[in-house]
């Protein structure tokens, strides 16, 4: 718990409860009262159930937030929250939007238009879809997006993909059915044109799933498409008006600390203690320190969990943890550049591709998005490169040269600009790789340890959300499992994903009935699906 300093200020509520005036300045206090107060607090603390959370991203902080509100003694280890991955927050991120309202903070921009570039220049501009007349999905997204070079016929070849979207209902069966094939195979099976795949779907996947489409699971692809295209407005996004750490995580952590939550930086977990009598994890070990735990939540990424499994004599005794060693992560490089002049960037948020098929990247105009750069006399941009294996070993100046070359091909005005300051971030193995066949190795929210629960964007759940929202939701789900296991507190209320539009729901019902009928046909399972 947070250390208490017995000062006049901290004693004010204590004294007022005992009919001392609020104008109290300095008065001798019976030492025995101090001793009794300390003893009472220690007794109350001991009565609280202890929950240890490993990880301090959206998942870990989400779990900690609810549990400390329920009166648990919560300790968060490996506390140094960063937000890596998709920078924007889609319209369906309703649980995150509800959280920031609860915290009373205003971290987000208004809805912002975005665009997509290739090596040939501007490919498509996306409007703010909620401001336009609502059309049945996916017609609104297809009709209102401004394609500058892609012919109408190529765009229409996306319509047959609706059959796969209808068939994919986020069930375990649907994930297993589509997870064995690549996104590229999916688009090919449903008649997507080569140009639509190359110039639109492929690049969007490279920044949505962080890898080339031929390295992405078709199931994960459909999961993303269903989430952001189920309603016309779902594709709209807002951005954080500064770093997520500064605008959201820091005030969030400050709030939780007022509730008694202990968030510790520099405490790296090395192992766990297993109690043979209870068949539970009893302690979380950080080198020479240990933390007692009635329940544990692991809310870390795949690479960090793999490191823990390899080093932990406890975790590697369980099959579901060993399977995690088959999973993979993706490298990210972030580049923030200060230029020597103003460059006109038509849209503040951009997806870029076509310069190298092995990675995708995003471009953000921080003069528009971040408060601190709104009045800067020069342009400040950020480019994030996903699946950036080839970037990691390069020197900073070589990375900057490549980035400026790419920028110039997207927007000509960058050719006359020079870099005056740079910030390069190398984040190896920081994002989940949803590769074909990965689903069978991923973990669920509960484990074979009765008091250990999981959270994160790669954890299997049925909410249907994606990205930061999924991480946060799985954190709330893990908190609910702790509440259920310890039989204390109330469950967190999780806002469900908005229901399908009537025509999609009707098609899903028909598709489900057809699948049920087909399964009853003799030898229906004989052929490879």
């Amino acid at each position: 718990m947070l250390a208490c300093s017995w000062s006049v200020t901290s004693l004010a509520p204590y004294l007022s409860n005992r009919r001392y005036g609020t104008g109290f300045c300095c008065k001798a206090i019976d030492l025995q009262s101090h001793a009794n107060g300390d003893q009472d607090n220690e007794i109350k603390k001991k009565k609280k159930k202890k929950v240890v959370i490993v990880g301090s991203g959206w998942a870990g902080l989400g779990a900690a937030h609810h549990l400390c509100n329920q009166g648990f003694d919560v300790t968060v280890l490996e506390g140094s929250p960063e937000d890596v991955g998709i920078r924007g927050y889609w319209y369906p991120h309703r649980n995150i939007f509800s959280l920031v309202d609860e915290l009373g903070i205003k971290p987000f921009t208004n809805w912002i238009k975005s665009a997509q570039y290739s090596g040939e220049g501007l490919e498509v501009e996306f409007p703010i879809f909620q401001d336009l007349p609502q059309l049945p999905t996916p017609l609104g997204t297809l009709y209102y997006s401004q394609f500058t070079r892609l012919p109408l016929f190529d765009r229409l070849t996306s319509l047959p993909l609706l059959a796969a979207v209808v068939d994919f209902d986020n069930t375990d069966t649907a994930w297993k059915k589509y997870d064995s094939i690549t996104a590229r195979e999916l688009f090919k099976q449903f008649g997507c044109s080569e140009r639509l795949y190359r110039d639109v779907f492929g690049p969007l996947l490279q920044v949505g799933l962080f890898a080339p489409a031929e390295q992405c699971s078709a199931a994960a692809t459909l999961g993303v498409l269903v989430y952001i295209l189920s309603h016309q407005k779902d594709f709209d996004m807002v951005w954080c008006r500064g770093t997520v750490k500064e605008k959201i995580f820091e005030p969030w952590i400050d709030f939780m600390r007022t509730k008694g939550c202990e968030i510790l930086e520099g405490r790296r977990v090395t192992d766990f203690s297993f109690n043979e009598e209870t068949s539970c994890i009893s302690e979380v070990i950080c080198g020479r320190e240990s933390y007692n735990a009635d329940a544990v939540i692991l809310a870390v990424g795949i690479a960090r969990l793999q490191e823990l499994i390899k080093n932990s004599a406890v975790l590697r005794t369980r099959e579901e943890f060993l399977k995690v060693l088959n999973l993979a992560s993706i490298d990210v490089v972030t580049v923030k550049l200060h230029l020597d002049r103003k460059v006109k960037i038509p849209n503040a948020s951009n997806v870029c591709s076509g310069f190298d098929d092995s990675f995708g990247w995003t471009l953000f105009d921080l003069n528009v998005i971040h408060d601190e750069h709104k009045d800067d006399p020069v342009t400040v941009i950020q480019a994030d490169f996903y699946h950036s294996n080839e970037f990691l070993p390069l020197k900073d100046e070589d990375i900057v040269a490549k980035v400026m070359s790419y920028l110039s091909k997207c927007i000509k005005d960058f050719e006359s600009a020079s870099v005056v300051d740079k910030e390069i971030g190398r984040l190896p193995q920081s994002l989940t790789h949803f590769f074909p066949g990965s689903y069978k190795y991923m973990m669920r929210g509960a484990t074979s340890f009765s008091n250990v629960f999981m959270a994160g964007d790669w954890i299997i759940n049925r909410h249907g959300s994606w990205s930061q929202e999924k991480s946060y939701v799985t954190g709330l789900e893990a908190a609910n499992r702790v509440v259920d296991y310890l039989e204390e507190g109330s469950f967190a209320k999780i806002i469900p994903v908005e229901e399908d539009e009537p025509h999609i729901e009707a098609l899903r019902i028909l598709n489900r009935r057809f699948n049920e009928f087909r399964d009853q046909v003799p030898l229906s399972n004989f052929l490879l699906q």
Side-chain angles (χ1 to χ4, degrees), residues 453-484:
F453 308 99
M454 307 298 299
D457 74 337
W458 61 280
I459 300 301
I460 295 172
N461 78 339
R462 299 296 166 224
H463 182 261
S465 51
W466 206 258
S467 192
Q468 311 99 319
E469 176 83 348
K470 183 181 178 183
S471 291
Y472 178 56
V473 166
T474 59
L476 296 181
E477 290 174 339
N480 285 345
R481 289 185 170 98
V482 170
V483 167
D484 183 52

Side-chain angles (χ1 to χ4, degrees), residues 219-237:
T221 300
L222 289 169
V224 173
L225 292 178
V226 168
Y227 184 60
I228 65 174
L229 297 178
S230 286
H231 310 84
Q232 180 179 302
K233 57 194 175 185
D234 287 350
F235 198 72
D236 290 341
M237 297 183 90

Side-chain angles (χ1 to χ4, degrees), residues 489-509:
S490 301
F491 293 120
K493 294 180 180 178
I494 299 173
I495 303 170
V497 172
E498 189 176 352
E499 293 182 357
D500 291 323
E501 292 178 0
H503 67 291
I504 297 295
E505 180 58 30
L507 290 171
R508 281 229 164 96
I509 292 171

Side-chain angles (χ1 to χ4, degrees), residues 235-289:
F235 198 72
D236 290 341
M237 297 183 90
V238 294
W239 276 259
C240 200
R241 296 185 296 107
T243 66
V244 174
K245 183 175 182 180
E246 171 199 4
K247 294 293 184 180
I248 300 178
F249 286 165
E250 287 179 357
W252 192 9
I253 286 171
D254 289 342
F255 171 81
M256 284 191 280
R257 281 178 169 150
T258 67
K259 297 282 188 175
C261 183
E262 195 170 23
I263 299 175
L264 303 176
E265 295 185 22
R267 303 298 202 286
R268 198 160 179 83
V269 176
T270 53
D271 208 343
F272 305 86
S273 292
F274 179 66
N275 188 315
E276 296 284 354
E277 293 182 4
T278 62
S279 297
C280 293
I281 298 292
S282 57
E283 289 181 319
V284 179
I285 301 170
C286 298
R288 295 182 179 180
E289 296 180 315

Side-chain angles (χ1 to χ4, degrees), residues 190 279 345 402:
F190 286 88
S279 297
I345 305 173
K402 277 181 174 287

Side-chain angles (χ1 to χ4, degrees), residues 115-278:
Q116 186 172 326
Y117 288 87
S118 72
E120 303 297 322
L122 180 65
E123 291 289 342
V124 56
E125 289 185 292
F126 300 104
I128 300 172
F129 289 100
Q130 60 195 286
D131 292 344
L132 300 169
Q134 300 296 294
L135 298 176
T137 191
L139 299 181
T141 309
L142 193 63
Y143 178 72
Y144 294 124
S145 297
Q146 300 297 307
F147 294 89
T148 59
R149 300 190 318 114
L150 190 69
L152 175 61
F153 178 78
D154 289 88
R155 286 176 259 162
L156 293 176
T157 64
S158 66
L159 291 177
L161 191 63
L162 183 61
V165 170
V166 167
D167 191 40
F168 185 84
D169 56 4
N170 200 42
T171 60
D172 194 57
T173 300
W175 271 88
K176 289 177 179 176
K177 176 179 179 179
Y178 287 98
D179 189 58
S180 60
I181 64 173
T182 70
R184 189 182 190 286
E185 290 174 302
L186 175 74
F187 294 131
K188 182 179 178 180
Q189 284 181 15
F190 286 88
C192 175
S193 78
E194 173 67 26
R195 194 166 177 181
L196 178 64
Y197 169 78
R198 183 187 68 235
D199 295 343
V200 179
F201 281 140
L204 286 176
L205 271 185
Q206 283 189 306
V207 299
L209 290 177
F210 318 120
E214 62 270 19
Q215 298 182 34
C216 293
S217 155
T221 300
L222 289 169
V224 173
L225 292 178
V226 168
Y227 184 60
I228 65 174
L229 297 178
S230 286
H231 310 84
Q232 180 179 302
K233 57 194 175 185
D234 287 350
F235 198 72
D236 290 341
M237 297 183 90
V238 294
W239 276 259
C240 200
R241 296 185 296 107
T243 66
V244 174
K245 183 175 182 180
E246 171 199 4
K247 294 293 184 180
I248 300 178
F249 286 165
E250 287 179 357
W252 192 9
I253 286 171
D254 289 342
F255 171 81
M256 284 191 280
R257 281 178 169 150
T258 67
K259 297 282 188 175
C261 183
E262 195 170 23
I263 299 175
L264 303 176
E265 295 185 22
R267 303 298 202 286
R268 198 160 179 83
V269 176
T270 53
D271 208 343
F272 305 86
S273 292
F274 179 66
N275 188 315
E276 296 284 354
E277 293 182 4
T278 62

